[in-house]
Amino acid sequence: MEEKNKILTEQNIESESRLKAIIETVIDGIITIDNRGNIETVNPAAAHIFGYKPEEIIGKNVSMLMPEPDHSLHDSYLENYHRTGVGQIIGKGREVLGKKKDGTVFPFLLSISEVKLQDKQIFTGIIHDISDLKKTETALRESESRINSIIQTAVDGIITIDTSGVIEMVNPSACRLFGYSEEELKGRKINMLMPEPDRSLHDNYMHHYHDTGEKRIIGIGREVSGLKKDGTIFPLYLSISEVYLSDRKVYTGFIHDITRQKVSEERLRRYAADLERSNRELQDFAYVSSHDLQEPLRKIQAFGDRLKMKEYEHLSEQGKDYVDRMLNAASRMQNLINDLLTFSRVTSRSKPFVKVNLDQILSEVLSDLEIAIEKSGASIETSPLPVIQAEPTQMRQLFQNLISNAIKFRKEGETPVIKVYSTNVQLKAHMVGTPGDELVQIHVEDNGIGFDEKYLDRIFNIFQRLEGQKYEGSGIGLAICRKIAIRHGGDISAHSKPGEGTHFVVTLATQHLPEEIY
């Protein structure tokens, strides 16, 4: 009998040791209190959760671990339970707030069990800190709120449908786009927003995808037509993504209204057609100018020259003035016709592009302008220019127009200084062409009279002259330069201030694809 008691005692000790080890090492907090709420035991996890040492809280009322109002009301909760036997949390468990030693209030799950010993009653509380869980839940709610805000305020329409094509979610932009309220769309089939034949065929499209996995638009995106509530059919760009949730699959469509884009494209098409027609008319005018206008003009010049050579001395002073003015007007008319012919050639089909050494072109232009350069006393400063694909005649015309302008619009009493140099640039997203293409910029700077940049949008248009009749010219030269630059994959711009000179920048592509050369 004594041996049996000894064995039982050893087993009890072993069981108690095992239980103590579990309590001491468990990650959740465990606290026991007596029937007056005084703490009797606390495991390391509970002490750690609340930030106390075990000896700091054992023997104290458990309400010290509670924020208000529970801190003040806890004893009355306990007395009420002893009196009525009705517990608000005992045997149930719920989420409550705890108060750490440093005053921090945190959430935890509390489960309380009542234990009746031989001589007393105790309560055991198991504490599971859910601070991290709450942070995750808060972050998730914030994320959902952020995503929802993005969806609700998005400029483009967003619609979600299930695998049967039934609308589950629609944002305000999509409602405005199609002219419906949210209530009118949710729960309805998506094909109500489609004109025929898509309206009747949409279910077949979905069945085909579910059966074969063949994607016609999912993950691809394309231009389609939409049907508004008032019956209006409009163009839109639709991209669809397939979303796998935990238990099902949905489809989200992003809808971008391209009505304005289509209108702009149509305007551009009409503009291109009008431009092509204008070019043909200009070519016809050039033909007329080269034959019907130049023939009588040549006769006027010939007879005028004859009068000046043979009869000039026999004319009165007024007669001499008439002859001089006639020849001067004929010369200006001839220059205007020549400029118009040049302009028409740039806008019409011309020679194919070849490799052009711009240094050589510039040298030839400066040689042609030698007399004007010497007469004006101009100083020409040049730096090496690249070899590009271009039309040589047009490059010559480009340099001649810009340098002639720099000489013409010089300041009185000051030596004209003209600088010609180049820089390489990489094509940016906002520029015309394919990003990554190499471009070259030709710079022509002068110290002449300059101009106010508020006229910048005028100077490259045909027949635009800022200085009136003060300087000779037809107002076509810079328009020709712009046509040449555009035809060579670039454009022309200028920077200037009155009295401070002008800086022209001509952007040209260094190479051209065969289809670009027209």
Side-chain angles (χ1 to χ4, degrees):
M1 186 68 178
E2 186 175 329
E3 182 66 25
K4 184 177 181 181
N5 290 335
K6 183 180 178 181
I7 293 173
L8 288 173
T9 301
E10 291 176 351
Q11 288 177 343
N12 289 336
I13 293 173
E14 183 181 351
S15 177
E16 288 176 5
S17 299
R18 187 182 302 113
L19 181 60
K20 184 178 180 181
I22 292 172
I23 292 173
E24 293 292 318
T25 58
V26 70
I27 60 173
D28 283 342
I30 301 175
I31 295 176
T32 62
I33 63 173
D34 62 19
N35 59 5
R36 291 173 297 178
N38 295 324
I39 299 172
E40 292 191 344
T41 64
V42 55
N43 75 336
H48 176 73
I49 289 172
F50 286 94
Y52 288 96
K53 294 178 180 177
E55 57 268 24
E56 291 180 299
I57 56 177
I58 291 176
K60 303 285 185 65
N61 193 286
V62 74
S63 62
M64 69 179 289
L65 305 178
M66 304 174 187
E68 294 294 353
D70 292 335
H71 176 78
S72 300
L73 297 175
H74 180 262
D75 287 349
S76 63
Y77 295 155
L78 202 55
E79 289 172 3
N80 182 68
Y81 175 70
H82 291 320
R83 186 176 65 256
T84 66
V86 178
Q88 295 182 353
I89 189 172
I90 296 170
K92 299 176 184 177
R94 68 176 181 183
E95 182 181 318
V96 296
L97 295 176
K99 183 179 178 182
K100 299 191 179 191
K101 182 178 180 180
D102 63 7
T104 303
V105 176
F106 68 100
F108 65 89
L109 289 176
L110 176 62
S111 302
I112 298 180
S113 59
E114 182 181 7
V115 180
K116 293 182 179 179
L117 304 177
Q118 290 180 351
D119 56 345
K120 64 176 181 175
Q121 176 190 41
I122 63 171
F123 299 93
T124 300
I126 299 177
I127 300 149
H128 180 68
D129 188 353
I130 56 172
S131 299
D132 291 340
L133 176 62
K134 286 296 180 180
K135 288 179 182 177
T136 302
E137 289 178 352
T138 300
L140 182 60
R141 282 195 300 270
E142 289 177 354
S143 177
E144 289 176 349
S145 177
R146 187 161 48 247
I147 292 171
N148 188 58
S149 295
I150 292 171
I151 291 172
Q152 295 300 312
T153 60
V155 175
D156 286 343
I158 302 174
I159 296 177
T160 297
I161 63 172
D162 63 17
T163 53
S164 299
V166 175
I167 298 172
E168 293 190 349
M169 185 280 296
V170 55
N171 76 335
S173 289
C175 292
R176 287 192 298 270
L177 190 59
F178 288 96
Y180 289 95
S181 66
E182 182 180 359
E183 292 73 21
E184 290 176 304
L185 291 174
K186 288 180 71 172
R188 301 280 300 280
K189 298 278 282 190
I190 188 66
N191 62 0
M192 68 181 288
L193 304 178
M194 304 173 187
E196 294 293 354
D198 292 336
R199 186 185 185 98
S200 300
L201 296 175
H202 182 260
D203 286 349
N204 291 336
Y205 296 155
M206 293 198 72
H207 292 153
H208 178 78
Y209 172 65
H210 293 151
D211 292 341
T212 68
E214 180 185 348
K215 297 179 179 179
R216 296 185 180 180
I217 189 170
I218 295 171
I220 302 170
R222 68 177 181 185
E223 185 181 315
V224 296
S225 294
L227 179 66
K228 294 178 183 273
K229 183 179 181 179
D230 63 8
T232 303
I233 296 175
F234 69 101
L236 60 92
Y237 190 83
L238 176 63
S239 53
I240 298 178
S241 61
E242 189 174 15
V243 181
Y244 289 91
L245 304 178
S246 59
D247 58 345
R248 62 197 184 95
K249 180 169 61 175
V250 296
Y251 301 96
T252 301
F254 298 86
I255 302 152
H256 180 67
D257 185 359
I258 56 174
T259 302
R260 290 186 179 181
Q261 178 184 326
K262 286 297 179 181
V263 170
S264 298
E265 288 176 359
E266 177 60 20
R267 287 176 180 169
L268 185 61
R269 187 194 64 77
R270 291 180 182 177
Y271 173 77
D274 290 343
L275 185 61
E276 181 64 27
R277 183 169 58 255
S278 298
N279 286 341
R280 287 196 300 270
E281 291 171 354
L282 191 56
Q283 292 172 45
D284 292 340
F285 173 75
Y287 177 81
V288 171
S289 298
S290 62
H291 294 81
D292 299 349
L293 291 181
Q294 294 209 72
E295 182 58 29
L297 184 60
R298 278 194 289 269
K299 289 182 179 179
I300 292 172
Q301 289 174 319
F303 284 124
D305 289 339
R306 190 177 185 84
L307 279 172
K308 192 160 188 175
M309 292 176 60
K310 301 285 187 179
E311 307 294 336
Y312 198 72
E313 298 301 324
H314 302 293
L315 298 175
S316 65
E317 290 302 316
Q318 189 175 25
K320 291 178 181 179
D321 181 59
Y322 287 159
V323 171
D324 289 340
R325 284 199 280 175
M326 177 185 70
L327 288 174
N328 184 265
S331 176
R332 290 201 307 272
M333 184 64 178
Q334 183 64 61
N335 289 336
L336 176 61
I337 291 174
N338 290 339
D339 285 344
L340 283 171
L341 287 170
T342 301
F343 186 78
S344 69
R345 292 190 192 104
V346 174
T347 58
S348 62
R349 293 180 182 273
S350 60
K351 300 174 184 177
F353 291 176
V354 295
K355 283 189 176 181
V356 174
N357 187 327
L358 294 183
D359 271 331
Q360 182 179 342
I361 295 291
L362 178 59
S363 178
E364 293 171 358
V365 168
L366 294 178
S367 178
D368 293 342
L369 296 175
E370 184 176 0
I371 295 175
I373 292 171
E374 289 181 356
K375 186 177 178 180
S376 66
S379 171
I380 311 295
E381 301 176 6
T382 65
S383 298
L385 301 178
V387 174
I388 67 171
Q389 283 189 340
E391 209 275 69
T393 304
Q394 292 184 358
M395 289 297 101
R396 188 174 291 107
Q397 185 73 52
L398 179 72
F399 281 117
Q400 184 163 327
N401 287 1
L402 293 176
I403 295 173
S404 295
N405 273 1
I407 295 172
K408 182 194 299 184
F409 298 108
R410 62 186 182 274
K411 285 188 284 193
E412 293 182 9
E414 186 172 334
T415 300
V417 178
I418 303 169
K419 300 178 182 179
V420 184
Y421 60 95
S422 69
T423 55
N424 290 326
V425 296
Q426 201 70 16
L427 192 66
K428 302 295 191 300
H430 67 276
M431 302 174 72
V432 177
T434 303
D437 287 353
E438 187 175 311
L439 304 175
V440 64
Q441 287 184 333
I442 306 299
H443 302 260
V444 180
E445 295 184 35
D446 65 58
N447 63 339
I449 63 173
F451 65 89
D452 193 324
E453 286 193 6
K454 69 181 181 180
Y455 300 114
L456 192 59
D457 60 338
R458 288 176 47 191
I459 64 171
F460 297 110
N461 293 332
I462 192 169
F463 299 131
Q464 295 295 319
R465 301 177 62 193
L466 302 183
E467 297 296 330
Q469 301 300 319
K470 184 177 179 181
Y471 296 90
E472 290 186 2
S474 60
I476 300 177
L478 289 179
I480 291 173
C481 290
R482 185 169 208 174
K483 288 288 184 182
I484 291 172
I486 291 174
R487 185 173 184 270
H488 286 75
D491 206 343
I492 183 171
S493 61
H495 307 284
S496 185
K497 288 184 179 179
E500 297 186 14
T502 302
H503 177 187
F504 285 98
V505 181
V506 184
T507 304
L508 304 169
T510 58
Q511 297 185 21
H512 302 267
L513 297 174
E515 58 266 25
E516 295 180 296
I517 304 172
Y518 51 90

